[in-house]
């Protein structure tokens, strides 16, 4: 089984002021590692939330049961943690024969580039399929992205942003390994309601591993 370690989230910036008028937008991704472009990698884009009249994120129905807050308050939970949780939720839904359909699917070209087009404003989850190059496995890191996109200087909105994909990298191996899981409770004041046990299921490439 392969355990993909997510260590960094790339360019997840969220605009909390004027989000602009309704218009079609695009998102360009560049998937490279060092000087090497990763070609033929499939990426899936899911709309997690839309914007309400107060320019706040309102979770989409498909993700209502994911247990992820859409609050702009990053002290609640980092956007990286939310992206990882949402990716896990997608895997679980697919395993239970209730897959969530992506807004769009693209594949990177020879330059490691792909474009999602005809997008509307909101919060999106970007996930990609791992790809093997020789003996190395590259696994794209799940990323939450808002459209329109607030630039790094925080002073302008980009309706057609380009972002660089981060990948976790590991050597492919046939060695047997042991994995451990730790359940972290976020239930201050409700500790007495914790179940006596928690079942953990391991998935490999989107399928239950046994």
């Amino acid at each position: 089984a392969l355990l993909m370690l997510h260590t960094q989230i790339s360019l997840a910036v969220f605009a909390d002021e004027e989000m602009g008028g309704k218009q079609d937008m695009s998102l360009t991704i560049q998937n490279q590692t060092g000087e090497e472009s990763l070609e033929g990698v499939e990426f899936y884009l899911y709309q997690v939330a839309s914007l309400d009249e107060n320019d706040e994120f309102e979770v989409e129905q498909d993700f209502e049961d994911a247990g992820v807050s859409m609050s702009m308050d990053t002290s609640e939970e980092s956007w990286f943690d939310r992206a990882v949780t949402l990716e896990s939720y997608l895997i679980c839904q697919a395993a239970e024969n209730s897959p969530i359909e992506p807004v769009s699917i693209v594949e990177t070209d020879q330059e490691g580039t792909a474009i999602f087009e005809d997008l509307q404003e909101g919060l999106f989850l970007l996930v990609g399929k791992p790809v093997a190059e020789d003996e190395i496995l590259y696994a794209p890191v799940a990323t939450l992205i808002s459209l329109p996109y607030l630039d790094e200087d925080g002073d302008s909105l980009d309706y057609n942003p380009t972002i660089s994909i981060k990948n976790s990298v590991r050597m492919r191996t046939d060695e047997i390994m042991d994995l451990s899981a730790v359940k972290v409770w976020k239930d201050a004041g409700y500790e007495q309601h914790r179940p006596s046990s928690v079942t953990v299921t391991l998935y490999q490439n989107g399928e239950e591993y046994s």
Side-chain angles (χ1 to χ4, degrees):
L2 297 175
L3 179 63
M4 289 181 284
L5 178 62
H6 298 275
T7 58
Q8 186 176 0
I9 189 168
S10 63
L11 297 177
V13 181
F14 302 88
D16 58 0
E17 297 180 350
E18 292 185 8
M19 299 300 289
K22 300 287 186 181
Q23 61 176 287
D24 288 337
M25 289 169 272
S26 68
L27 172 65
T28 300
I29 58 175
Q30 294 180 333
N31 193 23
Q32 298 176 319
T33 174
E35 299 297 324
E36 182 180 3
S37 299
L38 297 178
E39 178 186 1
V41 182
E42 284 190 350
F43 281 89
Y44 303 80
L45 192 68
Y46 300 85
Q47 183 158 4
V48 175
S50 55
L51 286 169
D52 62 20
E53 61 275 9
N54 298 315
D55 286 339
E56 294 181 351
F57 291 131
E58 182 177 356
V59 66
E60 294 288 306
Q61 183 176 356
D62 284 341
F63 291 93
E64 286 181 343
D65 296 329
V68 176
S69 169
M70 291 296 112
S71 170
M72 292 289 186
D73 184 0
T74 55
S75 65
E76 290 187 2
E77 186 177 22
S78 74
W79 287 107
F80 166 71
D81 290 335
R82 299 180 210 198
V84 172
T85 300
L86 289 168
E87 183 184 31
S88 299
Y89 182 72
L90 287 175
I91 294 172
C92 290
Q93 289 299 103
E96 294 173 1
N97 295 317
S98 299
I100 298 175
E101 294 298 322
V103 172
S104 183
I105 303 172
V106 298
E107 184 174 301
T108 54
D109 60 19
Q110 291 181 341
E111 304 299 322
T113 300
I115 304 175
F116 293 99
E117 298 180 307
D118 300 323
L119 303 175
Q120 297 295 316
E121 61 185 22
L123 183 65
F124 295 84
L125 176 69
L126 178 67
V127 298
K129 277 190 174 181
V131 62
E133 295 283 348
D134 298 323
E135 297 301 315
I136 301 177
L137 183 70
Y138 299 96
V141 175
T143 306
L144 279 167
I145 303 163
S146 69
L147 291 177
Y149 186 87
L150 190 65
D151 68 13
E152 294 185 15
D153 296 329
D155 55 12
S156 65
L157 295 173
D158 190 345
Y159 294 88
N160 301 283
T162 298
I163 69 168
S164 297
I165 302 301
K166 301 295 183 183
N167 291 274
S168 64
V169 181
R170 60 163 295 162
M171 297 297 296
R172 301 177 68 188
T173 177
D174 294 326
E175 293 181 5
I176 301 298
M177 65 181 71
D178 294 325
L179 301 177
S180 60
V182 177
K183 169 61 179 173
V184 178
W185 297 97
K186 296 184 179 180
D187 58 351
Y190 297 90
E191 293 86 352
Q192 69 275 17
H193 297 293
R194 293 179 182 176
S196 58
S197 63
V198 175
T199 301
V200 178
T201 304
L202 183 66
Y203 291 90
Q204 180 184 35
N205 300 328
E207 297 182 0
E208 186 172 340
Y209 180 83
S210 59

